[in-house]
Amino acid sequence: MQFDAKNMELHNSGGVQYLTFPSFSTYSFVRHAFSTRAGGVSQNEFSSMNLGFGRGDSDENVLENYRRFCNAVGFNFNSLVSSAQDHHTNIRRVGKEHCGIGIWKPKDMQSVDGLITNEPGVTLVTHYADCVPIFLLDPVKHAVGLAHAGWRGTVARIASAAVEAMTREFGSRPQDMLAGIGPSIGPCCFEVDAPVRDAFAQLTDLNPQELIHDDGNGKFHIDLWETNRRILMRAGLKASSITVAEICTKCNSNLLFSHRATGGKRGGLAAFLALTEEAEA
Ligand SMILES: [Zn+2]
């Protein structure tokens, strides 16, 4: 099947394939990427660009994959700072002193599903395999954020929590901010039972009836992309500033790791977002 990059661009740098949002690439002081399965050293279900530690692949392979990805895309391996995701809505402000955490230094915290920074040379990294990556950029204050929104994080409005954290920490104004909603499980494939449907039905300010499709057999399909888009708009972002990738990980599991497509036997994708050092010049 031909991969359709839709609202993102697919790049190939020496075999490492990655995706970017054209709206973010406009800004020279920002570097960002979303990984694919292509270009790493891992084998079998982790083949090949597995960026998830602790899933059964060797740490050596995962570290080598991070090095290859950074070299191919232009991130400094030493600048990476990772989240510690477990479907909460905690947002952590990080700086240079945090570089390495979760990658080449141990995690020092739990329950961090979002990262923000305004320091150039600090690369935020969050992890995916169907959950929704939310990229945030304030081009006025020069600040960035990444949030991991699974269905629980979506319902708990982590997207909004990340916008609020950037407003609080950096003085960002939501109307100035850009957002990218990255590759993740689409409304085509995100099938749930009634309890999950009920959680989305409680988002009454988002017209949830438009976000939930009743299959009529006790199953429902939910649109996580549109739910997060509406949450970002409620947080004050302009509709024209939000890009939805519209790339389903499960439909494209040959190129992207999908938890649901593999029954959990899979590697991990990662989102990367940084202000470049040149921004200070
Ligand atoms: Zn799909």
Side-chain angles (χ1 to χ4, degrees):
M1 187 177 70
Q2 183 75 32
F3 177 73
D4 179 0
K6 294 229 175 176
N7 301 325
M8 296 185 83
E9 284 180 45
L10 181 65
H11 309 263
N12 186 332
S13 173
V16 174
Q17 295 188 50
Y18 63 97
L19 292 153
T20 59
F21 288 106
S23 55
F24 280 59
S25 301
T26 305
Y27 296 94
S28 60
F29 55 88
V30 179
R31 185 159 293 136
H32 79 292
F34 191 80
S35 71
T36 70
R37 298 179 61 170
V41 299
S42 299
Q43 303 288 318
N44 304 319
E45 69 261 38
F46 306 114
S47 177
S48 62
M49 182 56 82
N50 171 33
L51 297 175
F53 290 103
R55 301 202 59 83
D57 197 2
S58 75
D59 286 356
E60 291 72 27
N61 282 350
V62 180
L63 282 169
E64 177 60 20
N65 289 337
Y66 272 104
R67 284 193 196 93
R68 287 184 182 216
F69 193 87
C70 287
N71 287 338
V73 185
F75 294 106
N76 177 354
F77 175 77
N78 294 319
S79 77
L80 306 180
V81 184
S82 172
S83 52
Q85 299 168 196
D86 57 11
H87 302 285
H88 283 76
T89 56
N90 301 316
I91 311 294
R92 185 182 195 186
R93 178 179 179 168
V94 295
K96 287 228 159 142
E97 69 272 26
H98 300 102
C99 287
I101 287 174
I103 308 286
W104 47 270
K105 286 201 304 208
K107 287 179 186 166
D108 63 342
M109 284 178 73
Q110 293 300 314
S111 304
V112 178
D113 279 73
L115 297 168
I116 59 172
T117 191
N118 67 346
E119 285 188 38
V122 176
T123 303
L124 311 179
V125 182
T126 49
H127 309 278
Y128 303 90
D130 287 344
C131 291
V132 182
I134 296 170
F135 292 73
L136 294 169
L137 165 63
D138 175 359
V140 176
K141 299 285 186 184
H142 286 208
V144 290
L146 272 181
H148 160 257
W151 75 259
R152 289 183 187 81
T154 297
V155 167
R157 301 185 196 237
I158 190 172
S160 187
V163 171
E164 286 163 17
M166 290 176 67
T167 299
R168 183 178 66 243
E169 296 291 330
F170 310 131
S172 297
R173 299 190 315 163
Q175 62 266 41
D176 293 331
M177 293 169 68
L178 261 64
I181 296 174
S184 39
I185 195 160
C188 40
C189 294
F190 188 49
E191 184 186 88
V192 302
D193 296 323
V196 177
R197 184 277 315 265
D198 292 348
F200 282 82
Q202 287 167 17
L203 303 172
T204 52
D205 60 323
L206 305 179
N207 291 331
Q209 70 281 0
E210 298 171 359
L211 306 170
I212 302 166
H213 179 264
D214 186 343
D215 299 348
N217 56 355
K219 299 286 187 183
F220 305 85
H221 278 72
I222 289 178
D223 190 339
L224 292 171
W225 301 338
E226 178 63 14
T227 306
N228 279 292
R229 194 181 73 84
R230 292 183 185 192
I231 288 168
L232 288 165
M233 287 176 62
R234 296 289 297 182
L237 274 73
K238 295 179 191 162
S240 59
S241 301
I242 305 170
T243 305
V244 182
E246 294 181 22
I247 298 168
C248 175
T249 40
K250 189 174 178 205
C251 289
N252 296 287
S253 60
N254 51 338
L255 186 71
L256 302 168
F257 290 116
S258 168
H259 193 82
R260 286 205 171 202
T262 56
K265 279 173 66 80
R266 48 108 184 147
L269 304 165
F272 296 73
L273 178 58
L275 298 165
T276 57
E277 303 265 21
E278 296 91 301
E280 301 247 290

